[in-house]
Amino acid sequence: MTNFKSRRPSKIEDRVSEYESLVDSLLDGYSMSIYEYINDLYCRQYLEEHKDDPDVSGLWSRIERTDSRFLAILNSTKRCICGNYPQSYFWYWSYPSHSPVLEQDLKENGML
């Protein structure tokens, strides 16, 4: 009898999967506030901060595909919604369509 041990996904693999799931969930919009949205974007930020890690570079094609899908559903903001990141950090310079609570928060904070 063979004893198969399943491999647990790495922290990086978990973050990539979390990012993919987030983008899937945003296809129909976002129902929460700016605070939750910024918190949800942490998975993408984490991947950016660790992009030179060999484990991340091995998964970068998945991240790029997810970025493309994400960009397709985003609307631009006038300024960064979290800190002072450059526009290359597109996830902090945009928001998903069909997100009335988030959009109202962005308007109230002068980001739209």
Side-chain angles (χ1 to χ4, degrees):
M1 182 172 188
T2 306
N3 184 8
F4 293 100
K5 291 184 180 183
S6 61
R7 185 181 73 79
R8 182 162 168 24
S10 70
K11 185 173 185 175
I12 298 296
E13 290 169 320
D14 283 344
R15 288 290 179 262
V16 172
S17 293
E18 185 179 350
Y19 179 46
E20 291 168 331
S21 294
L22 172 64
V23 172
D24 287 343
S25 74
L26 295 175
L27 294 174
D28 294 324
Y30 192 76
S31 63
M32 294 185 275
S33 76
I34 190 171
Y35 304 106
E36 287 87 7
Y37 184 62
I38 289 170
N39 187 54
D40 287 342
L41 292 174
Y42 174 74
C43 56
R44 181 59 181 88
Q45 183 62 32
Y46 180 90
L47 295 168
E48 189 68 22
E49 290 171 357
H50 293 86
K51 69 181 174 185
D52 294 329
D53 181 313
D55 291 335
V56 173
S57 61
L59 297 169
W60 201 254
S61 62
R62 279 177 62 189
I63 297 165
E64 288 176 331
R65 280 193 305 274
T66 306
D67 282 349
S68 293
R69 289 181 30 241
F70 197 16
L71 282 163
I73 63 167
L74 294 175
N75 299 306
S76 297
T77 58
K78 290 193 281 189
R79 59 187 178 97
C80 185
I81 65 171
C82 178
N84 294 313
Y85 291 99
Q87 288 186 343
S88 60
Y89 288 61
F90 69 89
W91 52 95
Y92 288 142
W93 283 84
S94 52
Y95 68 101
S97 300
H98 313 294
S99 305
V101 174
L102 176 57
E103 191 170 306
Q104 185 59 41
D105 286 348
L106 294 170
K107 284 178 183 174
E108 289 174 3
N109 286 289
M111 296 171 183
L112 293 181

